Amino acid sequence: MPILNRAAELQEEVAGWRRHIHQKPELNFDVFETAAFVTEKLKEFGCDEVVTGIGKTGVVGIIRGGKGNGSTVGLRADMDALPITEITGKPYASQTPGKMHACGHDGHTAMLLGAAKYLAETRNFAGSVAVIFQPAEEGGGGGNEMVKDGMMDRFGIAKVFGMHNMPGLPVGQFAIRPGPIMAATAEFTITIKGRGGHAAMPHGTIDPIVIASQLVGALQTIASRNTDPVESVVVSVTKFHAGDAYNVIPETAEIAGTVRSLKKDVARKAEERLRQLCAGIAAAHGTTIEVDYDANYPVTFNHPEETVFSGDIAAEVAGDAQVQRTIQPVMGGEDFSYMLEARPGAFIFIGNGDSAGLHHPAYDFNDEVIPHGVSYWVKLAEKALAA
Ligand SMILES: [Zn+2]
Ligand SMILES: [Zn+2]
């Protein structure tokens, strides 16, 4: 069973919504206009309930099926953009310099609206569909805020499903895996407190640049020496700031970066080793090193049964050969992880074709993806809630 005819019919209208959202990118929780647009559409479609202000600016629409009582399935999209200046030159490009939809959340929102329109028209299922539109996926944890606001209990959501576009994966293809599909993320800032002085008299100083350099090398051993080689961890130092002059040893140095992993115990061990290395190197140099460590999004963990189910739905839409069911995990983070910690479900990738990469200023969501994504959502809802 390929793309639904009605989903194909909806493509132009959904692409129009997508381009409208694309022109007006909003960041983090400040997705006021986008949430208002989503709310207006959901009401226009005749959703039975439209609730705003969940997780600050999140929106949930409830569509009750026409085949009697049943459980509730949550379908989730994200609404926020990124602090990037767009260079696509498209007629519908961002109207706000410094902000753009470079992760395709405009497409995710529009496709879920398309599915909501279809499901509200046809209601060919038992129970209810909750269409979930969250703010602040790109840092801020909007998904977590919606869960903390009691969304799952309030609407009786039994299972949740998420979808993200993937550049490089051909249009019409899907990719998924059971277990960890995206990484847990953490950010660290390390401040080395040295003792500054004349560069020609280093023996009277504690040089924070030398100490920080040792630390950058030492941090590599978390992945290479402390982690089981068949497990995955990334420790990347992405900032290194110290000094202002040729002849001055500075007082302090600061390094910062990110840690990514696919398992809780690996994440815990990485943090523990990072702190131990800082303490040890500080002691070796007779100084202090401060560590600020923030664990962010947890691992996005696909539940096995729902992963098989999602893969089967994707195969119905795209054909079995177009669905990869055991892709490698992606070491990026994703805050749908919080919803998957609260309820069983699965997160799937949908091909965006040969586009620029996510978070690139030349990226654009591919409107050809729309009928595939809308069909996936509709079929998933109808099958999960079959009478
Ligand atoms: Zn992103
Ligand atoms: Zn994204």
Side-chain angles (χ1 to χ4, degrees):
M1 178 75 175
I3 288 168
L4 293 156
N5 288 334
R6 181 74 183 116
E9 276 168 33
L10 283 171
Q11 176 171 3
E12 212 171 305
E13 187 177 14
V14 175
W17 301 336
R18 203 282 288 183
R19 292 170 183 209
H20 171 80
I21 296 166
H22 189 89
Q23 284 183 310
K24 300 180 173 192
E26 297 175 292
L27 304 184
N28 297 315
F29 287 100
D30 298 334
V31 291
F32 304 110
E33 281 193 53
T34 312
F37 179 77
V38 165
T39 303
E40 182 197 308
K41 288 290 161 204
L42 294 178
K43 285 183 177 165
E44 193 183 300
F45 304 155
C47 285
D48 298 282
E49 271 182 78
V50 181
V51 184
T52 61
I54 301 177
K56 297 178 186 168
T57 41
V59 181
V60 175
I62 300 294
I63 304 161
R64 280 191 263 283
K67 293 187 162 182
N69 292 333
S71 71
T72 299
V73 164
L75 314 178
R76 169 273 199 181
D78 36 17
M79 299 188 284
D80 59 319
L82 284 157
I84 297 174
T85 296
E86 181 165 351
I87 60 165
T88 64
K90 296 272 169 76
Y92 53 84
S94 167
Q95 294 171 346
T96 312
K99 294 182 191 176
M100 80 172 280
H101 272 288
C103 205
H105 299 183
D106 50 344
H108 303 164
T109 294
M111 288 193 295
L112 189 54
L113 282 175
K117 178 164 182 167
Y118 183 110
L119 291 166
E121 275 174 12
T122 52
R123 301 189 185 249
N124 190 23
F125 54 91
S128 300
V129 175
V131 284
I132 302 165
F133 296 86
Q134 75 151 83
E137 193 288 317
E138 303 282 5
N144 191 26
E145 290 301 317
M146 292 186 88
V147 172
K148 285 198 299 189
D149 243 355
M151 172 180 75
M152 298 300 181
D153 291 334
R154 177 170 176 177
F155 300 107
I157 296 168
K159 292 184 179 190
V160 279
F161 295 88
M163 172 161 48
H164 205 293
N165 78 94
M166 183 181 262
L169 186 68
V171 173
Q173 290 196 10
F174 291 85
I176 196 166
R177 82 188 305 279
I181 187 162
M182 292 191 76
T185 64
E187 286 162 4
F188 60 85
T189 302
I190 296 170
T191 309
I192 296 101
K193 310 250 183 191
R195 184 163 67 235
H198 201 297
M201 287 167 260
H203 54 292
T205 72
I206 298 175
D207 188 343
I209 294 180
V210 171
I211 299 170
S213 302
Q214 286 183 357
L215 195 49
V216 172
L219 291 174
Q220 309 311 311
T221 63
I222 295 172
S224 69
R225 301 292 91 179
N226 303 136
T227 306
D228 184 332
V230 299
E231 301 288 1
S232 302
V233 69
V234 178
V235 181
S236 289
V237 175
T238 55
K239 297 189 203 178
F240 193 131
H241 298 302
D244 299 299
Y246 287 106
N247 58 356
V248 177
I249 289 170
E251 188 78 7
T252 62
E254 188 178 281
I255 61 175
T258 184
V259 177
R260 308 288 169 108
S261 54
L262 296 172
K263 282 187 182 167
K264 275 186 182 151
D265 59 333
V266 174
R268 209 177 308 119
K269 178 84 176 169
E271 178 180 355
E272 185 187 307
R273 284 300 297 150
L274 182 141
R275 290 183 183 281
Q276 284 171 345
L277 288 165
C278 288
I281 287 176
H285 292 279
T287 189
T288 55
I289 296 178
E290 281 176 7
V291 180
D292 187 1
Y293 198 97
D294 280 323
N296 293 331
Y297 297 167
V299 173
T300 303
F301 191 91
N302 273 343
H303 298 242
E305 208 176 295
E306 286 70 24
T307 304
V308 172
F309 177 71
S310 290
D312 289 348
I313 298 294
E316 271 195 44
V317 173
D320 213 22
Q322 303 291 91
V323 183
Q324 298 176 41
R325 291 173 184 259
T326 51
I327 52 155
Q328 292 273 53
V330 175
M331 294 308 275
E334 166 59 59
D335 94 337
F336 185 61
S337 51
Y338 291 104
M339 296 191 194
L340 287 178
E341 283 194 332
R343 290 293 185 275
F347 189 69
I348 197 165
F349 294 115
I350 185 167
N352 198 53
D354 189 21
S355 69
L358 299 173
H359 296 204
H360 189 279
Y363 169 86
D364 192 24
F365 179 81
N366 188 339
D367 287 331
E368 299 298 315
V369 177
I370 289 168
H372 304 273
V374 172
S375 297
Y376 172 80
W377 279 139
V378 166
K379 288 199 153 292
L380 188 150
E382 288 181 349
K383 196 139 193 178
L385 299 170

